[in-house]
Amino acid sequence: MTNPIFVLNGPNLNRLGTREPEIYGHTTLAEVEAMCRQAAGSHPLEFRQSNREYEIIEWVHEAIDTPALGIIINPAAFTFTSIAILDALKMFPGPIIELHISNIHRREDIYHKSLVSRIATAVIAGLGPAGYPFAVNAMIEMVPDSGARR
Ligand code: CA2
């Protein structure tokens, strides 16, 4: 059994594609999930979204215990506020890709200081929804022994 890739999404991303298309595009989160599954091929993928910090922490613990091959996380606003998610991610021994649809560094100051970046293996920001399948491919290639058969 191949270890799954966890793709975790934070608050408000369930509304992707409905507002601010100039920043986030028109793609919905369901479409982002389909893009990830296509990139993953036969590789197992857990794709989740929550507006609750607690739930995201629980999912990181699940990724640790499973264990997941790697975690791709768009923590959304929790990127800038959640030491609890940072602490949970620190316990995960595998690769972590922090992902943002927008380029957070081109935006207002409040979006500049990610707590997660200091422990992330890699950071993807500004590629739009295309960043997700890019991250899935990168994760599979990052772990040569991932057993991916596509
Ligand atoms: O660019 C990203 O992916 C972000 O993580 C999105 C977060 C924002 O707080 C980060 O700075 C960057 C916000 C997500 C808001 O979700 C929306 C959902 C529907 C329409 C517009 C935004």
Side-chain angles (χ1 to χ4, degrees):
M1 176 61 185
T2 318
N3 299 359
I5 296 169
F6 275 48
V7 184
L8 305 180
N9 294 280
N12 298 309
L13 288 166
N14 53 320
R15 298 201 167 244
L16 199 65
T18 63
R19 290 171 57 193
E20 299 182 88
E22 66 287 359
I23 301 175
Y24 300 105
H26 291 282
T27 310
T28 65
L29 197 64
E31 289 166 337
V32 169
E33 177 174 358
M35 289 157 74
C36 287
R37 292 199 182 281
Q38 191 176 11
S42 61
H43 198 97
L45 192 97
E46 292 293 333
F47 190 98
R48 301 182 189 170
Q49 186 277 332
S50 180
N51 296 324
R52 299 187 187 94
E53 188 177 19
Y54 156 84
E55 204 159 26
I56 294 169
I57 293 163
E58 291 287 304
W59 290 340
V60 173
H61 293 176
E62 188 185 328
I64 294 163
D65 294 338
T66 297
L69 179 76
I71 298 175
I72 297 166
I73 184 164
N74 183 346
F78 292 147
T79 308
F80 316 101
T81 62
S82 180
I83 293 171
I85 291 176
L86 172 67
D87 286 342
L89 287 170
K90 275 182 179 170
M91 293 187 262
F92 182 70
I96 296 169
I97 300 180
E98 176 188 351
L99 187 146
H100 300 283
I101 297 166
S102 62
N103 180 353
I104 54 176
H105 303 289
R106 288 185 67 178
R107 302 184 59 195
E108 302 95 303
D109 289 355
I110 53 162
Y111 297 118
H112 290 179
K113 188 117 187 67
S114 165
L115 296 173
V116 175
S117 293
R118 70 188 61 212
I119 56 93
T121 312
V123 181
I124 296 171
L127 290 181
Y132 281 84
F134 190 85
V136 170
N137 280 319
M139 185 64 79
I140 289 171
E141 285 182 16
M142 209 181 276
V143 186
D145 215 8
S146 65
R149 273 181 297 277
R150 287 190 272 158

